[in-house]
Amino acid sequence: MGRKNRNRQRAQQNRDGRAEGKRSRDDAGWGAGYAEIIKENKLFEHYYTELKIVPEGEFEEFMEAMREPLPATIRITGYKSHAKEILHTLKEKYFKEVQDLEVDGQKIEAPQPLSWYPDELAWHTNLSRKILRKSPLLEKFHQFLVSETESGNISRQEAVSMIPPLLLKIEPQHKILDMCAAPGSKTAQLIEMVHSDMDVPFPEGFVIANDVDNKRCYLLVHQAKRLNSPCIMVVNHDASSIPRLYFDQDGKKDILFYDRILCDVPCSGDGTMRKNIDVWKKWTTSNSLQLHGLQIRIAVRGVEQLAVGGRMVYSTCSLNPIEDEAVIAALLEKSEGALELADASPDLPGLKYMPGITSWKVMTKEGQWYSDWSEVPTSRHTQIRPTMFPPTDPEKLANMKLERCMRILPHHQNTGGFFVAVLVKKAPMPWNRRYPKLQMGESPTDVPPADGSSADAPVEAVEGETPCSVCSSPPPPKKMKLFGFKEDPFVFLTEDDPIFPSIQAFYDLSPDFPKLNVLTRTHEGKKRQLYMVSKELRNVLLNNSERMKVINTGVKVWSRNTDGEQFGCAFRLAQEGIYTLCPYIRARIINICVEDVKVLLTQENPFLRKLGDDAHNQAKKLGQDLDAPQCPIDLCGWRGKTSIRAFVPRNDALWVFSNC
């Protein structure tokens, strides 16, 4: 056979293979993966049968659910009034249309709200790609979901993944740390909660989202940017040794303790078998044994940085007690009463879950079971640790209240598997009751007491530590190791920066505009983009620039437009930051009607005469039109000599237009 014929044959085989794989994925449903992988793992079944985490008589149902494709779930994102508008559109324009729809003689199951998620802002559907393509109405619905997901108005997020942020009970003033944040769906929830009041452009609270993987940090930035918040910072550190941060409090440098911490640790992921079906063939008990130590170190670092009275949620997408209850038990034992497991059952009415277990065994990858640390041979001590077993003291075990942990099983509400525990900090951690452990380059006089007591108070030695471990001089400072891309600097503008007068005059900024919150990403040359952060994040940035690696922060508010110099200002507004700036802008505002919105969003550079008389004359305000969106819409644009243009991303324009 000639070379050309062989190449043609190989190309055809590749096309056939891709087509077959594509069909398999379509048949499997949204995100279900390749149907040809056999969903069997005898060791997995044996392990969980023995541990009895599934109620008696339900194990077959549990396994059947694990083999079924995971339903697609969506969460309506954004801030309150916008989220309600999108929900209204979904229910009135799309869900009603598919409610009584039949495809190939089969009635379509309409999307249903998650019973435990507040305000009907999360929904699940069993529609597969194959069914979507068979109906124009369903295809229209699918295109709407795709467009809104790209805009950030809707998030494709697994149902159980939505639980931890809800249990944190976030308020707008809370300082929040998300320790292992990528890819960022939970982080988005945290940001939304901080911005629960849209009328406050700069809430007191903020979210610091961390991930150890430099590349995943940029995925995290992409997710967070869709919410256009000045209260988010993305950093790149190992969560188990994330640096302690400082901030100025009334002229005094204090340690930053967080009001809320999300500790969603790396795990073996056997709760994700319904969507990540590679786990079926890769699952082994050694995964949990290897991750247990890291999970404890991350959780310990979290509670060290938690404020007294604060709340930390520990979660995994694993069903394994070695990664779940064992970590929580070890944390509670180390805390010596400083931590308490909270009863979160009333917080999500409608959520079905199993209480945490108090008895479990440890199994090696070879299948050897151990019920107690005393049974483990010395040769296994590097693989199996004492913290993997439940406490042997019945009174101590009872006081831990491990039953307050929550394990979500897939067959109870057609979800993935998940584990979550809510910890409340009652007192400083025992090893930090006076002074926190010194970091490289710090002396004892640099570090305020961890519990807020006087710096002159006597140092209390922690059991297992000699006083000199706190008071002795630290080793010479070492430069922080940085990995991945080198980031541009974050440079805050001064109040007398020469670019401000023209911006101030052009937009007639109100006197309370926080100039000191404006930053750029260059020390030298022209400032091309201007960003804003909240006052509190500015405080953190200024006091920790050498201590942490910041990937991104703030929201873009102005972009340089040299053509604008002829009009008196070289900076145009950026749509990303329009809701942050709007409360401070008192000039160059045109109130327009719905028809004007359509003109601006469908024509590239419409002439001013295309607008209605009211908008053209900049005279009358927009009246309440019952067919108009029932939430405020702010669009930024640029007025030329004879035309006006809206600077709005395509997907945002599609959403506004579809609702007008």
Side-chain angles (χ1 to χ4, degrees), residues 56-57 96 185 208 224 239 336 351 357 392 411 446 483 502 512 552 571 591 594 608 610 631-632 645:
E56 191 174 350
K96 275 188 177 180
S185 54
I208 294 180
E336 299 177 8
L351 177 66
I357 60 176
T392 53
H411 64 293
D446 293 332
F483 303 95
S502 62
D512 60 339
N552 198 278
F571 286 89
N591 293 299
V594 172
L608 291 172
K610 292 286 187 74
C631 64
R645 182 181 183 185

Side-chain angles (χ1 to χ4, degrees), residues 402-527:
L402 291 178
E403 65 277 1
R404 289 183 173 178
C405 298
M406 306 166 78
R407 181 176 278 102
I408 292 91
L409 299 178
H411 64 293
H412 284 165
Q413 284 180 304
N414 199 11
T415 64
F418 207 69
F419 175 88
V420 64
V422 182
L423 293 154
V424 175
K425 190 171 181 178
K426 298 292 187 180
M429 301 309 289
W431 58 90
N432 267 7
R433 287 210 175 120
R434 283 299 175 198
Y435 288 87
K437 193 179 291 183
L438 293 172
Q439 299 283 317
M440 294 294 187
E442 293 177 345
S443 66
T445 55
D446 293 332
V447 183
D451 59 357
S453 60
S454 168
D456 299 323
V459 176
E460 293 181 0
V462 178
E463 187 178 351
E465 270 188 358
T466 59
C468 63
S469 68
V470 175
C471 298
S472 61
S473 298
K478 291 183 180 179
K479 192 173 181 182
M480 182 174 61
K481 289 183 180 179
L482 299 178
F483 303 95
F485 301 105
K486 183 179 179 182
E487 294 298 326
D488 293 329
F490 294 85
V491 184
F492 282 97
L493 275 57
T494 58
E495 282 194 323
D496 57 355
D497 192 289
I499 70 168
F500 271 133
S502 62
I503 294 176
Q504 178 88 41
F506 193 71
Y507 296 103
D508 190 17
L509 299 179
S510 60
D512 60 339
F513 175 72
K515 293 180 182 178
L516 293 178
N517 293 21
V518 180
L519 62 88
T520 185
R521 299 296 300 270
T522 178
H523 282 292
E524 300 172 355
K526 279 190 173 183
K527 302 173 179 70

Side-chain angles (χ1 to χ4, degrees), residues 21-95:
K22 191 170 185 293
R23 282 194 295 272
S24 298
R25 292 193 295 276
D26 290 345
D27 293 343
W30 286 1
Y34 292 91
E36 62 266 29
I37 292 178
I38 298 171
K39 298 177 182 179
E40 294 287 345
N41 188 309
K42 294 300 180 186
L43 181 63
F44 174 86
E45 293 188 44
H46 169 65
Y47 184 74
Y48 283 113
T49 302
E50 192 74 20
L51 287 180
K52 297 181 171 58
I53 66 161
V54 179
E56 191 174 350
E58 295 182 18
F59 196 81
E60 284 305 314
E61 188 183 353
F62 163 75
M63 289 304 301
E64 285 175 15
M66 291 290 274
R67 294 186 181 101
E68 287 295 316
L70 188 68
T73 47
I74 59 172
R75 187 175 63 81
I76 298 169
T77 62
Y79 309 132
K80 278 189 175 177
S81 59
H82 285 186
K84 288 178 181 175
E85 185 68 27
I86 294 165
L87 175 61
H88 175 78
T89 302
L90 275 172
K91 291 173 76 172
E92 297 302 317
K93 285 194 176 183
Y94 294 100
F95 293 165

